[in-house]
């Protein structure tokens, strides 16, 4: 092994490192370490002059390995890799010794901290001497994208990707796109009609030359990796030929089976053969197979008779499977509203006039069951109570987070009650009002000014007294229990990840945070990326969001998803596993350990003899090193983290210097 | 002088190493006895590393990864747990006090927990005194 | 400094720092319904007080501490898993340690240490309820009936204990009793704040129960005994079951078949220690609805929303000076409005408090209060 020429560069980080770690002492220590040719220090290593110092030494003193003694590699490793590249050195000939986050900031005693820093530097020097140059590889990319979920997040993401010139598949599990936003009556704080601002975008989806909509479909399987995903989509039978149906609606008139209208949150009924709502996209009817008399009992087929001319009805339709090749994926699986039955003390399910916020949207919607009239049991309520934080900020139901939309939708709903019932007494029970968005605090002020009583404290129970409901709470500002009678109680139910999201998460190897929403790659700096390269998050699948935030995140996600498509190629992981074929005994432990199915046993010619060996697909490999951790013979090694390198570090770091 | 144990901590890059960084950013103080070794995933850790660390001078070893179910590499931490639980029993047979080895789960957001874990490990190892299988001690005995 | 730290640990343990002052505890508190305005029992502000002042001071100042029935509605409603009920019990402990107790409670605690029951009666009186019955001793059967102090010592409740025995015999169950060797479970003692006596009772009972290797299942009459055995006796070997679960099981299996008609309109009052604290809501209802001819109707406030009868938390021994409204009266009035013949209960304390209310309101000709066991014994 050729000798290495190592340079050690110690950063003061102003006083961040220098006040706890003796820089001079550390420098003279570093200079004594084997193969170290240069040991330098500088106020800010990451500054341009600091980097120039390294570049100059690489060129003039022929350094071939660099140790930067500074902050966490999680911060500036990419910076210094680029420094090496610009000086003509392989970027992987670098090791960072973390003496800030894990030394100077967590210890006070200068002597102790300096001693620890010496161990850390010694370990880094030991490791850098063993590092080998690594090559960055690229693979080509299928220039199409897939968006999963056709709510506002998925719609926006699909439109943005398609507008960038790339073919986009939009997968929606329901018969129509639109999602929850389609169910909302108005949006806060502007009071735009929700459907009015959404339906143009839905039409755009339908008409966009780059978008192929697969409604009533679900992702069944995902194989491959960034740039080259192979997706299997299950298309549920609609029993109506989507391309032929002109949505005339004649068939539905002949369907005698009434089913619950889920678009109206079960507050009204429609036929088993139906269109989910008038503006549905695709504009085609659908048969509910659970309820259709023919599909259940084998007789009827009335609808087919009336559609003879078009012949759009096909009750023999079967489920289909479609294979898609896509380069990147946007996940926009949205949310489910909290099931209010889980808070039985609030009377939901027990009293008819206790409804959820989502039900309220349908009740007051002009397209809803009452044509927009606010009627409860046929009567206009005189006293309306809103209860906040139902299923949010609540450990007892496992939802510790704030759902972020309930404060504002409740304010909006209170405003709608006021608009429709000028004399109603409106009370809102709250714990904290979170009016954080643009124009939200102003809207909250406006609603309060409309004689809406905000009372601080939350309702503990709802019970019946005569023909009124009694909401019992403590007004915590008065320190007194109060009982507010109500004809209508609206529960501000929170947001939970959509029930089907977990399955999709498994297929895409997405992690979830403790709140069960999908986990982003970095909470601040990579908020739409995920741990799976080429998979991005948009909307409420990542955490509760209002519409403006959802749309913004969807566009961000689309922009991210377009990058690999536009570049046409992606870099693969560099520190991949490599196999020493002669040492490999083909036990297959690494194959089992690999979470990415990146390793398989193949017959290969080794030293003129054919034998079975482990072969790593370097594109699939994500550089975790699980394979190396189970290999008995040391045949498979994660580059950059080989057994030799780690053992050398262990040897160096446990010593006192 | 009090005995100050050396603790070698293997941290996964995505959770525990990030948690350790957060402890720093948040200025949670903890004993300087710990020396960290960064790996990408806890599943990378061969049980032999722990034995080696003990031979090479560590008085205690910590392995810390992502919380179960939150692994950056899907399931690496489960794999690590399966291997290392066995190792712990094996250490006992080697005559190494099981308290010298510990596993923990620290997420990227648990800076204070990381500091607590280091305090706990240091305090658990201190009463055990210097690790008797350090390679240098074996050599010293041979030299005599 | 050390003391302050200890205090901090105690506060953190109860999660008091997590309180977001939503007031659900106070609003759900049944005692808060009925305490007078001049000294309201506000559990939220009590928790807040404990965060900000030494507990000793608060314990000695807040006389309403003894009003709490430890029904646990506050703890259940809390979205942040704070345990306000434990704060009350903790403050009561301070008073027990100090010895500054209402005389009636001092008597109960004394009786526990002398007689191993809270009723101030001698051990031999425990034999009265099973006079004339031929029953096996605890060690002689796999199932054992734990009667509890109140059914054993209260004359009215002997009928409850004997009905339970009758039903078990009707079902052909091989069971034993602890007889006069039975001692208090300690549930109420712990809730009165005497954690020291509780520990002693727990140890003694655990030794006895675990000592009989034959015993597989202990059936308890009172939900209070059931609660402490189930949740506060770590290391107890036999399974502990409340009789409502036990008989619901027997009926579902077909081992016990209610035969006779009971043509009455019946409602059911959920005991806090059975329902709210142990989630047993369906078993008692399934027993009642299995009885022929019985018309079952729910209180408006049922299950998770049920109203406490004011019998728990040691309240059986605490006098209330104010001529304030009793929760049991509200319950009885609701039942009268519903036009039911019987309020069924599954707890000795509920039986006593509700029956007292019926008597005080002079409604004995209109309304009966019966334990489910007493109804089942007729069926």
């Amino acid at each position: 092994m050729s000798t290495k020429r190592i340079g050690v560069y110690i950063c003061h980080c102003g006083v961040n490192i220098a006040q706890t770690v003796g820089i001079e002492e550390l420098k003279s220590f570093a200079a004594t370490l084997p193969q170290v040719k240069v040991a330098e220090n500088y106020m800010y290593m990451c500054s341009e002059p600091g980097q120039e110092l390294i570049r100059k030494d690489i060129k003039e003193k022929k350094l071939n390995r660099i140790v930067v003694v500074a902050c966490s590699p999680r911060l500036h490793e990419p910076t210094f890799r680029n420094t090496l590249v610009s000086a003509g050195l392989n970027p992987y000939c670098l090791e960072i010794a973390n003496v800030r986050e894990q030394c100077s900031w967590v210890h006070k005693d200068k002597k102790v901290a300096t001693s620890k820093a010496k161990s850390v530097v010694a370990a880094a020097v030991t490791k850098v001497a063993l590092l080998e140059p690594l090559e960055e590889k690229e693979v080509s990319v299928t220039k199409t994208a897939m968006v999963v979920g056709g709510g506002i997040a998925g719609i926006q993401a699909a439109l943005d990707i398609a507008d960038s010139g790339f073919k986009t598949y939009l997968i929606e599990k329901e018969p129509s796109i639109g999602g929850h936003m389609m169910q909302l009556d108005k949006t806060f704080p502007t009071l735009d009609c929700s459907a009015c601002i959404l339906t143009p975008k839905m039409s755009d989806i339908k008409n966009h030359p780059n978008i192929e909509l697969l409604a009533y479909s679900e992702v069944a399987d995902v194989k491959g990796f960034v740039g080259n995903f192979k997706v299997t989509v299950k298309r549920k039978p609609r029993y109506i030929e989507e391309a032929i149906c002109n949505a005339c609606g004649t068939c539905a008139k002949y369907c005698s089976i009434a089913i619950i209208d889920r678009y109206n949150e079960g507050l009204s009924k429609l036929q088993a053969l139906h269109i989910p709502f008038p503006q549905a996209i695709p504009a085609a009817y659908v048969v509910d197979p659970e309820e259709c008399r023919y599909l259940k009992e084998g007789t009827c087929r009335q609808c087919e008779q009336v559609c003879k001319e078009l012949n759009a009805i096909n009750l023999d339709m079967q489920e289909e499977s479609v294979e898609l090749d896509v380069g990147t994926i946007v996940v926009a699986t949205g949310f489910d509203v909290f099931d209010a039955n889980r808070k039985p003390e609030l009377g939901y399910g027990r009293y008819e006039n206790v409804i959820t916020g989502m039900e309220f949207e349908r009740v007051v919607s002009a397209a809803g069951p009452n044509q927009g009239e606010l009627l409860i049991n046929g009567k206009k309520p005189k006293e309306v109570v809103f209860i906040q934080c139902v299923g949010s900020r609540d450990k007892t139901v496992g939802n510790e987070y704030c759902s972020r939309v309930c404060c504002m939708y409740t304010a909006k709903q209170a405003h709608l009650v006021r608009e429709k019932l000028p004399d109603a007494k409106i009370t809102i029970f709250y714990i904290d009002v979170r009016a954080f968005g643009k124009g939200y605090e102003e809207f909250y002020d406006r609603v309060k000014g409309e004689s809406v009583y905000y009372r601080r404290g939350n309702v503990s129970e709802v019970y019946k007294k005569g023909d009124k409901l009694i909401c019992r709470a403590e007004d915590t500002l008065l320190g007194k229990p109060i009982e507010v009678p109500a004809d209508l109680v609206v529960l501000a139910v929170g947001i939970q990840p959509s029930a089907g999201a977990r399955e999709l998460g498994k297929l895409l190897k997405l992690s979830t945070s403790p709140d069960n929403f999908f986990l982003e790659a970095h909470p601040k700096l990579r908020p739409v990326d995920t741990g799976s390269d080429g998979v991005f998050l948009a909307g409420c699948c990542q955490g509760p969001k209002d519409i403006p935030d959802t749309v913004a995140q969807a566009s961000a996600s689309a922009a991210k998803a377009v990058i690999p498509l536009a570049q046409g190629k992606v870099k693969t992981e560099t520190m991949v596993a490599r196999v020493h074929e002669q040492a490999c005994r083909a036990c297959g432990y690494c194959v089992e350990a690999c979470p990415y199915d990146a390793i398989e046993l193949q017959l290969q010619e080794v030293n003129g003899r054919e034998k079975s060996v482990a072969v790593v697909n370097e594109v699939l490999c994500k550089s975790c090193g699980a394979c190396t951790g189970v290999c008995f013979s040391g045949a498979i090694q994660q580059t950059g983290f080989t057994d030799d390198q780690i053992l050398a570090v262990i040897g160096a770091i446990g010593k006192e210097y | 002088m009090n005995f100050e144990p050396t603790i070698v901590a293997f941290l996964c890059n995505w959770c525990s190493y990030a948690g350790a960084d957060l402890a720093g950013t948040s200025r949670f103080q903890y004993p300087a006895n710990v020396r960290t070794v960064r790996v990408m995933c806890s599943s990378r850790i061969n049980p032999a590393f722990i034995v080696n660390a003990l031979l090479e001078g560590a008085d205690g070893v910590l392995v810390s990864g992502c919380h179960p179910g939150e692994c950056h590499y899907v399931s690496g931490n489960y794999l690590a747990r399966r291997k290392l639980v066995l190792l712990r029993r094996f250490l006992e047979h080697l005559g190494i006090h099981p308290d010298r080895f510990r596993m923990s789960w620290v997420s990227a957001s648990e800076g204070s927990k990381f500091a607590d874990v280091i305090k706990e490990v240091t305090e658990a190892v201190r009463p055990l005194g210097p690790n008797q299988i350090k390679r240098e001690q074996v050599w010293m005995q041979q030299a005599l | 400094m050390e003391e302050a730290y200890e205090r901090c640990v105690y506060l953190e343990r109860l999660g008091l720092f997590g309180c977001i002052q939503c007031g659900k505890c106070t609003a759900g508190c049944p005692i808060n319904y009925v305490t007078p305005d001049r000294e309201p029992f506000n559990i939220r502000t009590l928790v807040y007080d404990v965060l900000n002042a030494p507990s000793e001071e608060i314990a000695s100042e807040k006389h309403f501490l003894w009003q709490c029935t430890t029904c646990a509605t506050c703890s259940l409603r809390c979205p942040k898993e704070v345990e306000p009920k434990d704060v009350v019990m903790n403050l009561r402990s301070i008073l027990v340690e100090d010895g500054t107790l209402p005389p009636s409670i001092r008597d109960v605690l004394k009786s526990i240490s002398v007689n191993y029951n809270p009723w101030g009666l001698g051990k031999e009186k425990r034999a009265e309820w099973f006079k004339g019955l031929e029953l096996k001793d605890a060690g002689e059967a796999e199932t054992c009936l734990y009667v509890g102090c109140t059914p054993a010592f209260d004359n009215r409740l002997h009928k409850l204990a004997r009905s339970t025995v009758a039903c078990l015999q009707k079902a052909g169950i091989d069971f034993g009793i602890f007889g006069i060797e039975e001692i208090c479970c300690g549930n109420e003692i712990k809730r009165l704040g005497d954690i020291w006596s509780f520990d002693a009772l727990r140890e003694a009972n655990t030794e006895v129960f675990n000592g009989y290797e034959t015993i597989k299942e202990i059936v308890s009459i009172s939900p209070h005994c059931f609660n402490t055995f189930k949740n506060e006796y770590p290391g107890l070997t036999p399974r502990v079951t409340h009789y409502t679960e036990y008989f619901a099981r027997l009926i579902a299996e077909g081992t016990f078949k209610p035969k006779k008609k009971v043509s009455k309109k019946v409602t059911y009052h959920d005991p806090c220690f059975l329902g709210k604290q142990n989630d047993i809501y369906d078993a008692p209802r399934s027993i009642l609805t299995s009885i022929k001819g019985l018309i079952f109707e729910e209180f408006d406030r049922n299950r998770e929303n049920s109203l406490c009868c004011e019998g728990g938390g040691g309240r059986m021994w605490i006098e209330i000076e104010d001529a304030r409204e009793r929760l049991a009266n509200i319950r009885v009035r609701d039942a009268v409005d519903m036009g039911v013949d019987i309020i069924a209960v599954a707890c000795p304390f509920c039986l006593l408090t509700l029956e007292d209310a019926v008597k005080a309101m002079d409604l004995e000709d209109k309304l009966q209060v019966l334990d489910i066991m007493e109804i089942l014994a007729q069926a």
Side-chain angles (χ1 to χ4, degrees), chain A residues 215-235:
Chain A
Y216 212 31
S217 302
E218 283 178 44
V219 174
D221 196 20
V222 181
K223 289 253 158 36
F225 46 89
V226 55
N228 297 280
F229 289 108
K230 288 207 181 307
V231 182
T232 311
V233 176
K234 192 174 76 185
R235 304 213 67 185

Side-chain angles (χ1 to χ4, degrees), chain A residues 16 72-74 77 95-96 98 100-103 105-108 112-113 115-116 119-120 127 509 511-514 519 521 526 530-531 575 593 595-596 622-631 637-638 641-643 646-647 649-651 653-656, chain B residues 4 6 8 10-11 13-18 20-50 52-54 56-58 69-76 79 83 108 114 136:
Chain A
N16 279 310
S72 171
R74 294 174 54 85
E77 201 172 57
E95 186 66 18
I96 306 262
N98 181 350
R100 191 180 74 173
E101 280 83 349
Q102 297 186 15
C103 186
W105 276 351
V106 288
H107 311 309
K108 285 211 173 83
V112 171
S115 159
K116 175 172 169 179
S119 302
V120 176
K127 184 167 181 193
K509 301 190 163 59
S511 306
T512 50
S513 34
L519 182 67
R526 296 178 71 201
T530 65
M575 297 186 178
Y596 299 97
K622 291 280 168 287
S623 306
C624 64
C627 52
T628 318
V630 296
C631 184
Q637 292 292 334
Q638 183 194 359
F641 291 90
T642 64
D643 285 343
I646 296 178
L647 287 171
V649 167
I650 292 169
I653 206 156
K655 307 264 184 313
E656 289 295 324
Chain B
E4 286 299 335
T6 304
V8 171
F10 294 94
L11 309 180
N13 181 58
W14 303 99
C15 292
S16 297
Y17 194 88
D21 279 353
L22 182 63
T25 313
S26 322
R27 309 298 198 275
F28 292 123
Q29 305 289 302
Y30 55 80
N33 307 54
V34 68
R35 310 275 188 273
T36 61
V37 178
R38 181 170 72 119
V39 289
M40 296 312 278
C41 176
S42 50
S43 65
R44 169 66 191 89
I45 295 156
N46 287 38
F49 291 174
I50 286 106
N52 247 281
L54 293 167
E56 294 283 357
E70 290 176 21
C71 178
H72 182 81
Y73 299 107
V74 189
S75 55
L79 184 62
K83 286 192 289 184
F114 181 80
E136 40 200 304

Side-chain angles (χ1 to χ4, degrees), chain A residues 160-380:
Chain A
D160 288 349
I161 299 171
D163 280 347
S164 311
F166 298 100
K167 164 102 183 174
T168 308
Y169 299 101
L170 176 59
I171 319 292
E172 166 58 49
K173 71 171 192 288
E174 297 291 334
S176 170
I177 57 169
H180 286 301
M181 184 173 168
M182 195 60 212
Q183 292 181 286
L184 306 180
D185 179 43
K186 300 278 189 319
T187 59
F188 59 78
T190 48
L191 300 172
D192 288 302
C193 157
S194 189
C196 310
I197 57 174
L198 180 61
T199 47
K201 283 187 183 287
M202 289 165 62
S203 303
D204 289 350
I205 291 281
K206 185 182 153 204
N207 299 324
H208 205 295
N210 279 340
I211 293 178
E212 187 174 332
L213 171 61
L214 286 82
Y216 212 31
S217 302
E218 283 178 44
V219 174
D221 196 20
V222 181
K223 289 253 158 36
F225 46 89
V226 55
N228 297 280
F229 289 108
K230 288 207 181 307
V231 182
T232 311
V233 176
K234 192 174 76 185
R235 304 213 67 185
K236 291 179 267 190
R238 198 179 183 104
Y239 303 103
I240 310 278
E241 299 292 349
E242 202 181 294
I244 302 174
C245 175
N246 63 2
C248 69
T250 315
C251 53
K253 288 185 192 130
Y254 289 85
C255 180
S256 56
I257 307 292
I259 65 165
I260 278 172
D261 181 354
R262 287 194 299 135
Y263 173 65
N264 274 334
E265 290 286 303
L267 297 171
S268 62
K269 301 237 162 165
L270 42 64
Q271 278 69 42
L273 198 178
H274 62 273
I275 191 161
F277 47 88
Q279 308 95 319
I281 300 285
Y285 277 64
V286 60
V287 176
D288 184 333
E290 308 267 292
E291 305 286 348
C292 167
R293 182 178 294 154
Y294 171 70
L295 293 170
K296 258 170 57 183
E297 296 164 18
T299 55
C300 186
R301 300 191 98 140
Q302 280 254 359
C303 49
E304 282 180 329
Q305 301 304 315
V306 295
C307 193
K308 275 220 166 110
E309 217 164 298
L310 271 180
N311 206 11
I313 301 175
N314 172 10
L315 292 171
D316 302 318
M317 205 180 261
Q318 298 294 320
E319 186 178 291
E320 276 177 50
S321 223
V322 186
E323 303 283 327
L324 307 176
D325 287 318
V326 300
T328 51
I329 297 172
V330 173
V331 177
T333 47
F335 66 92
D336 288 342
V337 292
F338 174 76
D339 176 11
N341 286 303
R342 294 181 60 202
K343 300 298 285 178
E345 63 270 23
L346 299 179
Y348 183 77
R350 187 193 317 224
Y351 306 121
E352 272 189 335
N353 41 348
V354 177
I355 65 172
T356 67
M358 194 54 104
E359 288 166 356
F360 181 90
E361 294 291 333
R362 297 317 305 149
V363 169
V364 293
S365 167
N370 302 332
Q371 288 77 46
E373 254 200 284
L374 180 43
L375 296 175
I376 297 300
N377 292 333
K379 277 193 284 187
K380 290 181 178 169

Side-chain angles (χ1 to χ4, degrees), chain A residues 5 9 37-38 52-64 87:
Chain A
R5 298 181 63 82
Y9 295 88
K37 301 294 175 237
V38 180
E52 187 50 35
L53 194 68
I54 301 175
R55 276 187 219 116
K56 203 165 142 260
D57 284 356
I58 291 174
K59 286 176 189 154
E60 290 177 3
K61 297 180 179 158
K62 303 272 175 276
L63 299 181
N64 56 15

Side-chain angles (χ1 to χ4, degrees), chain A residues 518-576:
Chain A
F518 287 136
L519 182 67
E520 61 284 350
H522 189 283
K524 307 238 166 17
L525 302 177
R526 296 178 71 201
V528 302
D529 304 63
T530 65
S532 297
D533 288 344
V535 182
F536 305 93
L537 303 174
C540 287
C541 68
Q542 181 257 341
K545 265 172 216 74
D546 54 17
I547 295 168
D549 283 4
T550 296
V551 172
Q553 199 195 19
S555 288
S557 202
K560 283 285 203 170
V562 160
I563 294 172
L565 307 185
Q567 290 181 335
K569 53 196 178 184
V570 284
K571 275 189 185 146
T572 59
E573 286 284 341
T574 310
M575 297 186 178
V576 294

Side-chain angles (χ1 to χ4, degrees), chain B residues 52-96:
Chain B
N52 247 281
L54 293 167
L55 284 170
E56 294 283 357
D59 299 298
V61 179
L62 169 73
V63 170
S64 189
C66 308
H67 282 272
E70 290 176 21
C71 178
H72 182 81
Y73 299 107
V74 189
S75 55
N77 50 358
Y78 290 117
L79 184 62
R81 182 166 68 182
R82 284 210 299 278
K83 286 192 289 184
L84 298 175
V85 162
L86 287 175
L87 174 78
R88 203 180 154 87
R89 277 193 235 153
F90 177 64
L91 288 179
E92 265 188 279
H93 289 289
L94 286 182
I96 298 170

